[in-house]
Amino acid sequence: MTSPSEPTVGQAVLHLFFKASATADRTAVLAALKGGNDGDDQAVCAALLGHKADLGVMALSSDQWRLRGLQTQLVAAGLELVDSYVSLTEVSEYAKGMPESRIQERLFPTLPPEGKPAFCFYPMSKRRGPGANWFTLPYEQRKKLMWEHGTSGRAFAGRVTQLITGSTGTDDFEWGVTLFAQHPDDLKEVVYTMRFDEASSRYAEFGRFWVGMVDDPDQVLESLGVR
């Protein structure tokens, strides 16, 4: 038996983005997603908007081998994998002193949050350019900027749930940001508002955005014409 590939803290996270091909097997896709929700594992399913992909799956597990198995099963079911992102749940270095309950929510979140079907994922990094190198700033200055950034985000409590996962050394950017919101314009407003903070306006770089609607896998596949 293959030895587990487990983080020492938190969970492994895998975002998968698929095109729904004409040969996709609905029964096999549903079986794979059901397996992705066994035990403490979670697999969130979203119907995506736009040309980049049709189906988004966000999966969390304590063992990367189980995530690899889910990916294999979904591809074998006839879905075309067009993009992905690999990360780990984490607690920010600027969150020292946070209550233990909130730390556990970040390391072991329960997804998707109830009443927030609007979905968005994007990766981001901090700049290292001349005159704007995040990693040369003193810790206390970085902490101050991140607290300001967090204050902007907390203004959306109840409307938007945010999960930031770490991807330094696991993917092309340094963090993955997953947002769940009550309404699509909540996503637009929170991203716009937080971009004015110096931590973002001066130091952040963003990747592609993936947007859609979270729902039961049956409904998502129905919307994609996978029958």
Side-chain angles (χ1 to χ4, degrees):
M1 182 179 293
T2 302
S3 298
S5 177
E6 302 172 331
T8 55
V9 177
Q11 294 178 295
V13 184
L14 178 63
H15 287 77
L16 298 170
F17 303 101
F18 298 96
K19 289 281 190 179
S21 67
T23 59
D25 183 332
R26 180 189 182 93
T27 300
V29 173
L30 290 174
L33 292 172
K34 182 179 180 181
N37 283 285
D38 283 347
D40 293 332
D41 291 356
Q42 298 179 78
V44 177
C45 190
L48 299 181
L49 297 166
H51 74 286
K52 288 177 282 189
D54 300 314
L55 172 68
V57 175
M58 178 185 184
L60 300 89
S61 178
S62 62
D63 186 355
Q64 288 184 316
W65 279 111
R66 292 203 293 272
L67 296 181
R68 176 64 255 189
L70 174 62
Q71 178 179 332
T72 299
Q73 292 170 37
L74 290 171
V75 172
L79 297 173
E80 179 189 355
L81 183 60
V82 295
D83 213 335
S84 64
Y85 203 81
V86 179
S87 59
L88 301 164
T89 61
E90 67 172 19
V91 176
S92 168
E93 63 183 300
Y94 313 110
K96 294 176 182 177
M98 180 184 293
E100 182 63 25
S101 60
R102 292 184 61 190
I103 290 175
Q104 292 303 307
E105 286 173 4
R106 295 190 182 192
L107 294 175
F108 303 97
T110 300
L111 300 175
E114 186 176 354
K116 295 184 176 68
F119 170 86
C120 174
F121 172 78
Y122 61 91
M124 64 163 293
S125 292
K126 293 297 189 185
R127 289 193 181 114
R128 293 180 174 82
N133 189 330
W134 178 259
F135 295 96
T136 62
L137 296 177
Y139 171 80
E140 289 302 325
Q141 185 176 351
R142 286 184 280 120
K143 181 177 179 180
K144 179 181 177 181
L145 292 175
M146 290 306 297
W147 271 97
E148 175 192 44
H149 199 47
T151 299
S152 296
R154 285 188 289 275
F156 292 85
R159 295 168 57 191
V160 178
T161 296
Q162 173 181 265
L163 178 63
I164 299 176
T165 51
S167 52
T168 303
T170 66
D171 219 309
D172 297 338
F173 287 77
E174 292 160 348
W175 292 276
V177 181
T178 308
L179 304 176
F180 300 90
Q182 292 181 351
H183 307 287
D185 45 332
D186 292 331
L187 299 173
K188 175 176 174 289
E189 186 178 348
V190 69
V191 173
Y192 179 76
T193 298
M194 296 184 75
R195 283 196 176 189
F196 284 92
D197 299 331
E198 187 176 355
S200 180
S201 64
R202 186 174 185 185
Y203 293 104
E205 295 181 344
F206 299 88
R208 304 183 87 186
F209 279 66
W210 308 80
V211 175
M213 299 76 65
V214 173
D215 210 328
D216 179 86
D218 270 311
Q219 182 58 43
V220 170
L221 295 181
E222 185 69 25
S223 74
L224 305 182
V226 178
R227 298 183 173 88

